[in-house]
Amino acid sequence: MSTHPGSLVLETELKKILNDALKTTAIEEAFAGFILHSQEDEKNKILCCIEAFTNYWRTLSSDQHELAMDFYVSYLYKQKHTQRIKLLCDMLKSIAEKNVVPSKLVCEVLLRSPNLDYKNSELWCQTFQVIHRIIGSVDYKGCRDVLKTILERLETVPKTVNVSACKQLESAAKVVHYILDRNNCLSPSYIVVNEIKKLFPGDIPQGHWIHGDTLSNFVDSFRPTANMVSITARPSLLPVVGYSNIAGNSWKLDPQLLTFQLKGLLPFEKEQTMQQIDLVRYVLQQPYSRDVICSMLGLNKAQKKRCEILEEELVDLVVVAMERSEKEDGSQELTVASEMLWQHLSSQIIIFVLFQFASFPHMVKTLHQKLSGRNLRKGRDHLMWVLLQFIAGSIKKNPLSEFTPVPKLFDLLYPEQEPLPIPDFSQPSCTHRMAMACIWIHLSWKAQTENKTLQRPVPASLTKQLEFLQQASKSAQQLPLTDFRIALLCNAFSTNQELFSKPVSVLYASVYVVGKNTVPMPGSCVASVPTAPLPLNFLDSLTIHARMSLIHHISNKVVSHSRPNMAPNIGLSPALVETYSRLLVYIEIESLGIKGFISQILPKVCEHNAWGILHTMLELFSFRLHHVQPHFRVSLLTYLHTINKMTQSNHNQLFQCIESTALRIITGLGSAEVQPQLSRFLQDPKQLLSSDSEELNRALVLTLARAMHVTGSETLSGNWCKDILATLFSNTPHNWATHTLHCFPSALQQFFHDNQATAENRSFLKKTVEDEYRKWKGMTNDADIMTHFMQSQPPLFLCLVWKMLLDTERMRPVTIKILERIGPRALASHIRTFADFLVYEFSTSAGGQHVNKCIETLNDMVWKLNLVTLDRLVLSLALRSHEGNEAQVCFFIVQLLLLKPSEFRNRVNEFIKEAPSDHWTQSDWHNKHINYHRKFPEKFFYEGLLEQTGAKLSTPQHYLPIYFSNVCLRFLPVFDILIHRFLELPPVSKSLETLLDHLGGLYKFHDQPVTYLYNTLHYYEKRLRHAERPLLKRKLISAIIGAQKGIKPPGWCLSLAYLDYINRTGDDVTWEPEHEYYVKIIGRLVDTIAGKIPSPFPAMDWRFNEFPNPTAHALYVSCVELMALPGTGETVGNALLDVVLKSPAEVPHDDVMSWMNAVALVITALPECYWKVINDKILEVLSTDIPSVKTAFSGDHSLDRIFSVYNFSGSHASHTELMCSYVLALTHAVWHHSNIGQLTLLPPFLRDHVKPIVQTEEQFLYVCHLVGPFLHRFHLERTRCLLEIAVELYEMLQTVDQSSTQIVHADTISDFLYHIKYMFTGDSIKGDAERVIKGLRASLQKRLRFIAKGPEVTGAAPPAAS
């Protein structure tokens, strides 16, 4: 207590007042047996005391009030006599009830007094009687604080006190019960339960026994609310790594506890709060899941913080792999599955240990503990291979002590006393079987370099293998690469430079030989030898450390070869380039791999002006790399735009390569990648956009449109990309045809409606060309011709060339000089003008022979005179903005150009026939590549025109080495765009079918054929849904998937039923699949997610596959097949829902949530018309099933059972589930997998469709169960929608209140609304809430009075004096 002089004065004066109040009491105590008291005397005595205290209290400043109350309570607790205690407590009650002293202050001071002790029975009981009497006038937050303090006080009372303390405990428990009584409404029960859960965080409050039942019952009353904000069976809902919706907030976990991030301290079901081990393990098992795991656990590799839970899961996965290896019975399925798991695990462990999210020694120690006594032997070599990966790469930088747990693990797994045999070194498995011997060599060498000795002799079991390695190292440079001895030596000695240099030099020599020997390349170029790359299985047999040495050597060779003093006309060896491309696939060496490629190799090459090597690297990127992370791809795109502005890049062949690479990057962006990547450049959009290539910028607009549609973000605002679009339009102003605009999302439609470029006047163009052509014919001086036609606007020189060829079929030599001066960059604008001119010419043509003549001339320009490449011309034609008849003419020209002459068809047919698409398995790609180019040489420098005119280029142009590309491969991204343009214009459907018949085989070489089909069918769903277009859908599938025949294994994509459908002859598209068909489609996805062996899909090397893992593959091929069915989206969507709603025998009862998960994954990955059928099911349940539930449970207690009916997990376990709970669980699964763009449609659905139906309490509670779990996500991602939903809920409650005679679950409804307020909305919708609450019945108003001030609602009446 303070000893400040002022406080002493206050204490003295207050003590005097209280002593005066108690004087008569002292006399009465002396003559207690002789004085007769009346109630009136007692009352007057208290009034006198109160008046004196009140007068004094009012003289005090507000700062002194708390101190004065402290003195009062201290004085009270010093009293011994019952009458004195009672009088002082009665005074407290009275002054608090009269608002002289705030009741909250009285309660707080009483409860915090150190003199409050349950052993002093009278004072304890009187204290809680005071609190019980005045608590009703304490504000709601004060009530919460008082309750918290009482509960903390009670925890200080031993739970073993005897019966003598019951009176004291009951007096306190009475106050607790009074505060918790919902009918008193002293405080929102929601904030009270939060305090209880903070104090007693367990599932059942473990408070003092005196109030245990009270607290438990109170907390249990919130279980319905907790269920209303919980996603049904959430642990059973699993994502797909490699699918767009994995990136959202739905999958984030608490990184310390590995639990879902739930809002509010509510009594959630155990499945909602338990560690999500299965989810993390499932994701970890998926190839390419590194970034997903980091996102889920909030891990940042820049922080390098150990995550013990992740570490433990990695160890458990190793144990799972050991168990799986133990089950191998010789069957190929089990063996392949086991090997792929070990390969993936090796990569995961390396990555997470390098990021320092996991500790290597801790992992090895834990592995030893978990494998002890298990007798798991079959997977031991694989395990040692995994450990060798890390040891070989890190033992130089870390002390030997970090690796001492490894020999102990070896002792456990290799108990043999006899030497292990030398494996067959002609098989790649030998590197695994000798991994421990390699580890021992690394440990021994480390000990030697640290001048230490290993604390143990060489294990007897390793002697034979160690001796073999030592002997082999002596003749390393003579060993062939036809077996794996070189790999073994590299793995064993990579930390001993003296011994490592010999085997690794054999690897270097295998990909690059210094000398004069060369091999021919296309375009009269030559390259160094050799041509055969290192086989992939050999690279897989090297440790990461050895691979890093090899890729480091290759990178240095590329950079050194790019220096000016190197022979400029000799290219890198094909073996080196192909091997480099294979090494770039290993994500464990990303820093030296793709990251180094983008950030170091390319800048160095450009710095040295090594344009041939730049061309090589861009080819490698375009035609060899898979699964490059989007930020690397977009970084390369911005770099290409920078290079393209350089003078040196204005080289026909290089410019073509740069533009083609940029086009591939833009069109290859995944739909979920577009917004995150483009948003990186909002401050400076110019980096992302081409300054002059209208085609590239148009391609970016098309990619943006597709991404907005597929991800559902077209329902959101398009403001985020307006600056990008504005900059793009400023760089290259352009319009879009109406039929293309109709397919755009509304935000893009609006932008191009508001921003229109000046339209080209076709007749004016025609007149200008005619005028210029007359000038051309009339001019004879080459200098004058060049001066005039170099500067002519619009850029129409190709139009003049066309006119010359039509008229004379001969060209003047000066034509070459003009084309040379124009250059490939500026020629692009001439091609655009020429494309428009062609359309006008053909539109006004008489037809017949003239059309044939025009096409022949056009064909000559491409193939005979080499004026323009086919892919550039077709791309320009495909992206022009023609309307109506002119658009059809444009596509007619394209069709004739591609199919009527034989040049392109011959090239396509030959390439499809001879070239393999699985480049990673090939050793003789170069020979096939050279043979193809010999038969169909590529010409970029007007060779045909030079030959015809006899002219020469003023500056001789050198061809750059071509390692992979040709016109067919360059045409593929153009073909992608072309197909889309044809789909936008229904009248040209037959032309598209013809193109697919003749050129569809090119999709054999497409790096993402299924994704392309998925995007096409999704984006153009409205265009393809018409009755006449199922045939076109079937043709698309048949051509693109059919192109993979003979390459991909049977069953890799389409179901047998669909294969029968596309193999039908004629135009028969009448097929309505049976229920069983949909069950099989969903079933194979269920089995794939579950990791069933044998898998529904054949095993593939996912590093070179279109998709990163089996589940992503299964999801996309399922969606493509479903979108390609001839039925409507609504029909297919309902059939998918019926897979689980009809409860067929094929769906195991205990596994139904796995099936719901699969259905939800599929249906949310489909266009809106497919997944919106879930809304119809909801309306059907609200209109039909909920009323029937009420009838089934008729009686006074029908609503009491409603929560058990809506609880799918509980009712399903007891086989009592109803349709309404099935729909609820399925809706939760669908919305959980939905992206925020899809969920944004929820508020209008509630407003326009649900709200008119909801009339009863049962319906309202069902709606709360539906939307409650997703409020948290809206809060994080789309606050506007959250507020709209909250308002709709209030308005629905108003309707229910007006149409119901009673509200049975007023408390639960109130708890739910308080949850929304305190967790999400705050006062954001206070006005709407107040408006509704003021009109509700009294019981609801009373409970919701802390949200809004309605008509005067009094608090709880003070309890009767006890």
Side-chain angles (χ1 to χ4, degrees):
M1 191 172 292
S2 175
T3 56
H4 189 275
S7 65
L8 291 174
V9 172
L10 189 150
E11 180 179 4
T12 302
E13 292 175 348
L14 189 58
K15 191 172 183 180
K16 180 176 182 302
I17 293 171
L18 296 177
N19 283 338
D20 290 343
L22 296 178
K23 277 182 182 177
T24 53
T25 306
I27 297 172
E28 289 162 358
E29 288 170 7
F31 299 95
F34 306 97
I35 298 176
L36 182 65
H37 294 280
S38 70
Q39 288 186 351
E40 190 67 26
D41 292 337
E42 291 292 324
K43 185 176 179 181
N44 290 333
K45 189 187 304 180
I46 292 171
L47 288 174
C48 291
C49 297
I50 289 171
E51 185 178 359
F53 179 84
T54 301
N55 291 334
Y56 177 70
W57 181 267
R58 287 172 178 163
T59 65
L60 300 176
S61 66
S62 57
D63 295 339
Q64 295 175 304
H65 284 169
E66 187 171 347
L67 186 60
M69 189 49 57
D70 277 331
F71 290 145
Y72 188 108
V73 171
S74 176
Y75 186 87
L76 165 64
Y77 282 166
K78 290 177 183 177
Q79 305 305 314
K80 306 295 183 186
H81 196 276
T82 304
Q83 281 297 111
R84 289 176 173 240
I85 292 169
K86 186 174 184 307
L87 176 64
L88 290 173
C89 287
D90 287 347
M91 281 179 61
L92 273 181
K93 293 176 191 174
S94 183
I95 59 178
E97 288 172 346
K98 292 180 178 180
N99 291 323
V100 175
V101 178
S103 299
K104 180 182 178 182
L105 178 61
V106 174
C107 294
E108 287 176 345
V109 174
L110 284 171
L111 289 170
R112 76 181 179 212
S113 172
N115 298 315
L116 179 62
D117 190 346
Y118 77 96
K119 295 173 185 174
N120 189 336
S121 174
E122 188 64 29
L123 272 169
W124 177 280
C125 293
Q126 285 289 343
T127 294
F128 282 100
Q129 284 178 20
V130 172
I131 296 172
H132 187 254
R133 183 63 180 268
I134 68 175
I135 191 68
S137 55
V138 176
D139 66 86
Y140 73 92
K141 291 183 180 177
C143 286
R144 174 199 63 191
D145 297 338
V146 167
L147 174 67
K148 176 186 175 185
T149 309
I150 293 173
L151 294 177
E152 290 172 341
R153 273 286 184 182
L154 284 172
E155 287 305 296
T156 64
V157 179
K159 295 180 182 178
T160 55
V161 292
N162 59 29
V163 70
S164 63
C166 280
K167 179 181 176 184
Q168 297 95 295
L169 294 175
E170 286 172 357
S171 65
K174 187 176 180 182
V175 178
V176 172
H177 181 80
Y178 183 69
I179 294 174
L180 297 183
D181 189 339
R182 287 176 173 273
N183 290 319
N184 292 330
C185 297
L186 296 181
S187 182
S189 296
Y190 186 85
I191 66 170
V192 172
V193 80
N194 267 261
E195 291 302 323
I196 295 173
K197 292 290 287 181
K198 286 178 186 175
L199 290 172
F200 312 109
D203 191 43
I204 300 174
Q206 300 295 323
H208 200 282
W209 55 264
I210 192 64
H211 55 61
D213 288 345
T214 302
L215 294 186
S216 293
N217 292 337
F218 182 77
V219 171
D220 280 345
S221 71
F222 278 84
R223 292 198 182 277
T225 305
N227 287 337
M228 280 199 283
V229 297
S230 300
I231 295 171
T232 302
R234 188 174 178 183
S236 299
L237 302 178
L238 300 174
V240 169
V241 175
Y243 173 56
S244 59
N245 291 3
I246 188 70
N249 292 292
S250 303
W251 309 104
K252 293 190 184 299
L253 300 175
D254 185 298
Q256 303 301 321
L257 303 175
L258 223 62
T259 55
F260 293 128
Q261 296 179 343
L262 303 171
K263 292 290 284 184
L265 296 176
L266 295 172
F268 293 102
E269 296 294 333
K270 187 177 180 180
E271 68 173 11
Q272 302 286 335
T273 58
M274 66 183 184
Q275 280 195 325
Q276 299 305 314
I277 300 294
D278 291 342
L279 172 60
V280 174
R281 187 171 299 171
Y282 160 78
V283 174
L284 271 174
Q285 283 181 299
Q286 305 303 307
Y288 294 92
S289 58
R290 177 191 70 184
D291 292 341
V292 176
I293 282 291
C294 291
S295 174
M296 285 175 65
L297 301 181
L299 300 175
N300 184 344
K301 61 182 179 182
Q303 294 178 344
K304 301 189 181 303
K305 183 179 179 183
R306 183 181 169 204
C307 179
E308 294 184 23
I309 287 181
L310 174 61
E311 182 182 290
E312 187 175 344
E313 283 312 300
L314 288 169
V315 170
D316 286 342
L317 262 181
V318 172
V319 176
V320 168
M322 292 288 285
E323 292 168 346
R324 188 174 292 183
S325 294
E326 208 66 25
K327 294 176 183 176
E328 289 182 28
D329 55 4
S331 68
Q332 186 179 2
E333 290 87 355
L334 285 172
T335 303
V336 170
S338 177
E339 289 176 353
M340 291 180 73
L341 176 59
W342 280 112
Q343 183 188 72
H344 168 60
L345 265 180
S346 173
S347 174
Q348 291 284 62
I349 289 173
I350 288 295
I351 287 169
F352 290 122
V353 172
L354 286 177
F355 286 174
Q356 298 182 27
F357 297 152
S359 161
F360 181 77
H362 281 92
M363 288 183 67
V364 178
K365 289 175 185 175
T366 309
L367 268 172
H368 187 277
Q369 294 169 5
K370 297 199 172 189
L371 293 175
S372 296
R374 294 293 304 276
N375 195 32
L376 300 175
R377 297 283 186 271
K378 289 186 178 181
R380 64 185 185 177
D381 294 336
H382 294 303
L383 174 55
M384 288 304 159
W385 172 253
V386 171
L387 300 184
L388 173 61
Q389 300 295 308
F390 180 75
I391 292 170
S394 64
I395 197 167
K396 270 191 172 182
K397 299 178 181 177
N398 294 290
L400 182 63
S401 56
E402 289 281 302
F403 307 96
T404 50
V406 177
K408 295 178 182 177
L409 184 61
F410 167 76
D411 293 339
L412 175 69
L413 298 177
Y414 294 83
E416 294 93 340
Q417 295 304 311
E418 297 297 320
L420 294 169
I422 305 299
D424 179 0
F425 47 75
S426 67
Q427 299 298 318
S429 59
C430 69
T431 55
H432 288 222
R433 296 185 64 186
M434 292 186 68
M436 188 58 217
C438 295
I439 290 174
W440 188 265
I441 290 173
H442 285 293
L443 295 177
S444 301
W445 180 250
K446 181 66 175 179
Q448 186 177 334
T449 56
E450 291 186 359
N451 295 320
K452 296 178 180 178
T453 56
L454 293 175
Q455 299 301 311
R456 51 182 297 165
V458 175
S461 57
L462 294 179
T463 53
K464 204 170 186 179
Q465 293 185 355
L466 290 172
E467 183 181 348
F468 169 81
L469 289 169
Q470 292 293 344
Q471 289 298 321
S473 67
K474 295 176 182 178
S475 58
Q477 289 173 309
Q478 285 76 48
L479 295 177
L481 284 170
T482 51
D483 59 41
F484 293 88
R485 282 177 291 178
I486 289 291
L488 284 170
L489 295 177
C490 288
N491 296 345
F493 300 111
S494 62
T495 53
N496 183 332
Q497 194 54 43
E498 181 183 349
L499 294 177
F500 180 58
S501 61
K502 296 176 182 177
V504 82
S505 66
V506 177
L507 294 185
Y508 298 160
S510 72
V511 297
Y512 192 88
V513 177
V514 178
K516 296 183 179 180
N517 292 336
T518 59
V519 292
M521 298 290 287
S524 68
C525 299
V526 293
S528 300
V529 294
T531 61
L534 285 172
L536 187 64
N537 65 354
F538 189 92
L539 296 176
D540 286 341
S541 300
L542 295 173
T543 61
I544 290 172
H545 191 221
R547 282 186 224 131
M548 289 178 72
S549 298
L550 181 57
I551 197 171
H552 181 67
H553 174 80
I554 290 176
S555 299
N556 287 340
K557 181 59 68 177
V558 171
V559 172
S560 65
H561 199 81
S562 70
R563 292 195 178 103
N565 58 347
M566 298 300 292
N569 297 324
I570 300 178
L572 295 164
S573 74
L576 182 141
V577 175
E578 191 80 71
T579 301
Y580 186 34
S581 75
R582 293 177 182 182
L583 286 167
L584 289 173
V585 81
Y586 295 99
I587 59 174
E588 310 95 300
I589 56 176
E590 183 181 87
S591 58
L592 282 175
I594 188 62
K595 185 176 180 181
F597 177 86
I598 300 292
S599 62
Q600 296 172 22
I601 303 295
L602 291 181
K604 280 287 183 185
V605 167
C606 290
E607 181 185 325
H608 296 152
N609 295 327
W611 307 117
I613 295 182
L614 174 64
H615 185 274
T616 302
M617 294 298 103
L618 296 183
E619 272 197 293
L620 182 151
F621 184 89
S622 294
F623 304 112
R624 286 296 183 266
L625 299 192
H626 303 255
H627 306 304
V628 178
Q629 290 180 285
H631 65 275
F632 289 132
R633 283 179 272 140
V634 174
S635 295
L636 177 57
L637 177 63
T638 60
Y639 192 61
L640 291 178
H641 289 324
T642 302
I643 296 172
N644 226 4
K645 296 174 185 175
M646 299 168 66
T647 306
Q648 297 92 327
S649 68
N650 202 23
H651 170 281
N652 289 16
Q653 187 184 359
L654 180 60
F655 181 83
Q656 174 102 354
C657 180
I658 293 171
E659 292 270 301
S660 180
T661 305
L663 182 65
R664 277 181 172 271
I665 294 172
I666 291 168
T667 58
L669 280 174
S671 296
E673 298 167 353
V674 171
Q675 183 169 351
Q677 293 305 317
L678 267 58
S679 296
R680 292 166 48 203
F681 298 92
L682 294 181
Q683 299 302 317
D684 188 11
K686 290 182 179 179
Q687 297 181 59
L688 186 70
L689 306 169
S690 173
S691 60
D692 54 10
S693 175
E694 183 180 314
E695 287 73 28
L696 290 181
N697 287 341
R698 280 181 178 269
L700 186 64
V701 172
L702 293 170
T703 299
L704 182 59
R706 180 253 298 166
M708 292 174 76
H709 171 84
V710 172
T711 60
S713 56
E714 62 183 323
T715 62
L716 312 175
S717 168
N719 290 334
W720 70 271
C721 62
K722 278 191 174 178
D723 288 343
I724 292 174
L725 291 172
T727 306
L728 179 149
F729 190 82
S730 173
N731 288 354
T732 53
H734 62 267
N735 299 321
W736 291 94
T738 306
H739 52 267
T740 302
L741 275 176
H742 283 166
C743 299
F744 278 6
S746 55
L748 292 185
Q749 286 187 30
Q750 188 62 48
F751 178 85
F752 285 103
H753 179 269
D754 296 341
N755 299 272
Q756 296 191 19
T758 304
E760 183 73 53
N761 187 312
R762 305 283 195 265
S763 57
F764 176 75
L765 174 62
K766 168 76 171 175
K767 181 179 181 300
T768 305
V769 170
E770 295 293 343
D771 292 344
E772 291 295 302
Y773 186 51
R774 279 194 295 272
K775 291 179 183 177
W776 170 272
K777 289 192 294 184
M779 297 174 74
T780 56
N781 184 281
D782 284 359
D784 293 340
I785 291 174
M786 289 184 62
T787 302
H788 178 78
F789 289 102
M790 281 287 299
Q791 300 172 355
S792 63
Q793 288 295 328
L796 43 70
F797 188 67
L798 287 179
C799 304
L800 300 183
V801 171
W802 157 269
K803 294 284 290 180
M804 292 179 230
L805 290 171
L806 273 181
D807 284 358
T808 66
E809 298 185 1
R810 300 297 298 173
M811 303 291 295
R812 298 187 197 175
V814 72
T815 307
I816 284 288
K817 295 180 181 179
I818 295 174
L819 288 171
E820 199 177 1
R821 291 282 186 89
I822 290 173
R825 186 179 297 118
L827 189 65
S829 58
H830 289 262
I831 295 174
R832 285 176 216 124
T833 306
F834 180 48
D836 290 341
F837 179 70
L838 279 176
V839 172
Y840 185 82
E841 283 282 278
F842 274 76
S843 298
T844 57
S845 170
Q849 289 302 314
H850 181 66
V851 168
N852 292 336
K853 174 70 172 172
C854 289
I855 288 298
E856 287 174 11
T857 302
L858 196 54
N859 195 57
D860 287 347
M861 291 178 70
V862 173
W863 300 113
K864 186 176 177 181
L865 302 176
N866 315 117
L867 298 177
V868 60
T869 58
L870 179 77
D871 46 316
R872 286 190 79 182
L873 179 57
V874 173
L875 179 64
S876 188
L877 281 165
L879 290 173
R880 304 314 292 157
S881 55
H882 301 293
E883 299 283 356
N885 182 59
E886 287 192 348
Q888 294 183 48
V889 169
C890 180
F891 293 130
F892 175 66
I893 296 170
V894 170
Q895 181 186 354
L896 290 178
L897 178 61
L898 293 175
L899 300 183
K900 187 172 176 58
S902 62
E903 280 84 353
F904 186 55
R905 283 188 289 111
N906 291 342
R907 285 166 168 77
V908 168
N909 294 334
E910 181 72 14
F911 190 57
I912 293 170
K913 176 185 172 185
E914 297 296 334
S917 62
D918 51 346
H919 58 83
W920 58 95
T921 67
Q922 302 297 312
S923 60
D924 62 342
W925 161 266
H926 178 73
N927 292 331
K928 294 174 180 176
H929 173 66
I930 287 295
N931 290 336
Y932 181 81
H933 275 274
R934 282 176 180 154
K935 192 169 184 178
F936 302 107
E938 299 261 349
K939 296 179 180 178
F940 296 102
F941 299 104
Y942 323 117
E943 282 86 346
L945 183 58
L946 289 169
E947 183 180 342
Q948 186 192 83
T949 60
K952 292 184 179 180
L953 293 173
S954 59
T955 305
Q957 296 292 331
H958 298 288
Y959 270 83
L960 308 176
I962 301 173
Y963 291 82
F964 308 118
S965 69
N966 57 54
V967 68
C968 297
L969 291 177
R970 289 200 311 274
F971 182 72
L972 263 174
V974 178
F975 200 12
D976 287 347
I977 292 173
L978 189 62
I979 290 173
H980 287 179
R981 302 286 71 73
F982 271 81
L983 288 174
E984 291 164 0
L985 202 62
V988 297
S989 294
K990 287 297 179 184
S991 297
L992 176 56
E993 291 180 27
T994 305
L995 282 176
L996 290 170
D997 283 335
H998 288 87
L999 306 178
L1002 276 178
Y1003 279 89
K1004 167 185 176 180
F1005 305 99
H1006 200 289
D1007 56 345
Q1008 294 183 315
V1010 176
T1011 304
Y1012 175 69
L1013 272 175
Y1014 172 81
N1015 289 335
T1016 301
L1017 295 171
H1018 200 302
Y1019 184 70
Y1020 291 106
E1021 184 276 327
K1022 291 179 181 177
R1023 292 279 176 174
L1024 292 168
R1025 72 169 57 162
H1026 301 296
E1028 71 275 8
R1029 310 210 88 182
L1031 195 61
L1032 183 55
K1033 287 200 288 188
R1034 191 172 77 180
K1035 176 64 73 175
L1036 272 171
I1037 300 293
S1038 176
I1040 294 176
I1041 301 300
Q1044 311 299 320
K1045 189 176 181 180
I1047 303 159
K1048 299 289 175 65
W1052 75 279
C1053 182
L1054 301 174
S1055 67
L1056 291 174
Y1058 196 86
L1059 286 172
D1060 290 341
Y1061 168 65
I1062 63 172
N1063 288 329
R1064 291 180 185 178
T1065 56
D1067 295 346
D1068 180 15
V1069 291
T1070 55
W1071 181 37
E1072 294 183 12
E1074 300 291 331
H1075 178 72
E1076 182 184 359
Y1077 165 81
Y1078 294 99
V1079 172
K1080 287 181 178 178
I1081 292 291
I1082 296 299
R1084 68 181 187 176
L1085 178 57
V1086 171
D1087 290 343
T1088 306
I1089 291 172
K1092 185 178 178 181
I1093 301 174
S1095 172
F1097 295 95
M1100 291 180 259
D1101 191 337
W1102 300 104
R1103 297 173 299 176
F1104 297 95
N1105 194 272
E1106 175 177 357
F1107 300 103
N1109 52 64
T1111 47
H1113 174 85
L1115 177 63
Y1116 276 95
V1117 297
S1118 299
C1119 290
V1120 164
E1121 182 167 329
L1122 291 166
M1123 286 190 285
L1125 291 174
T1128 64
E1130 290 78 7
T1131 302
V1132 175
N1134 279 310
L1136 289 171
L1137 298 185
D1138 285 343
V1139 169
V1140 287
L1141 295 181
K1142 281 191 174 180
S1143 296
E1146 294 91 337
V1147 179
H1149 187 268
D1150 294 339
D1151 204 25
V1152 69
M1153 281 311 303
S1154 297
W1155 285 72
M1156 284 194 183
N1157 180 62
V1159 168
L1161 277 166
V1162 169
I1163 207 166
T1164 53
L1166 297 174
E1168 185 179 327
C1169 62
Y1170 291 80
W1171 59 259
K1172 283 192 81 170
V1173 294
I1174 194 71
N1175 294 351
D1176 299 329
K1177 292 292 181 186
I1178 292 169
L1179 298 177
E1180 183 182 333
V1181 166
L1182 286 170
S1183 303
T1184 308
D1185 292 281
I1186 300 296
S1188 67
V1189 169
K1190 186 173 183 180
T1191 303
F1193 298 126
S1194 57
D1196 295 336
H1197 301 289
S1198 63
L1199 262 166
D1200 292 340
R1201 300 185 61 180
I1202 204 70
F1203 293 114
S1204 62
V1205 171
Y1206 293 165
N1207 185 347
F1208 178 80
S1209 299
S1211 61
H1212 184 72
S1214 60
H1215 293 260
T1216 58
E1217 67 272 25
L1218 298 173
M1219 180 56 69
C1220 58
S1221 62
Y1222 257 102
V1223 172
L1224 179 64
L1226 185 54
T1227 303
H1228 281 181
V1230 169
W1231 289 353
H1232 185 59
H1233 283 297
S1234 296
N1235 56 51
I1236 193 60
Q1238 292 167 318
L1239 286 180
T1240 302
L1241 296 175
L1242 185 52
F1245 170 64
L1246 291 176
R1247 180 181 62 248
D1248 301 333
H1249 301 283
V1250 173
K1251 187 165 65 173
I1253 295 175
V1254 174
Q1255 301 291 321
T1256 67
E1257 187 176 350
E1258 298 95 331
Q1259 291 172 321
F1260 178 72
L1261 289 170
Y1262 191 77
V1263 174
C1264 293
H1265 277 83
L1266 282 171
V1267 303
F1270 303 97
L1271 298 174
H1272 184 202
R1273 186 151 169 222
F1274 278 119
H1275 179 62
L1276 294 172
E1277 299 179 40
R1278 202 65 64 214
T1279 308
R1280 173 181 56 80
C1281 293
L1282 167 70
L1283 302 181
E1284 290 176 4
I1285 291 171
V1287 171
E1288 296 304 329
L1289 289 172
Y1290 274 105
E1291 293 182 354
M1292 282 184 227
L1293 176 60
Q1294 184 177 36
T1295 302
V1296 169
D1297 181 62
Q1298 292 169 354
S1299 58
S1300 303
T1301 56
Q1302 64 172 341
I1303 299 294
V1304 176
H1305 294 289
D1307 289 327
T1308 299
I1309 291 172
S1310 301
D1311 294 340
F1312 179 67
L1313 294 177
Y1314 277 114
H1315 175 79
I1316 294 174
K1317 172 182 168 62
Y1318 287 118
M1319 292 297 105
F1320 307 120
T1321 63
D1323 290 332
S1324 300
I1325 58 165
K1326 187 176 181 181
D1328 295 284
E1330 286 182 352
R1331 171 177 53 80
V1332 171
I1333 292 170
K1334 288 176 182 178
L1336 300 178
R1337 66 189 65 200
S1339 61
L1340 281 171
Q1341 281 194 46
K1342 185 177 181 182
R1343 283 162 172 77
L1344 297 172
R1345 67 194 179 107
F1346 304 107
I1347 293 179
K1349 294 179 181 180
E1352 189 60 32
V1353 181
T1354 58
S1362 51

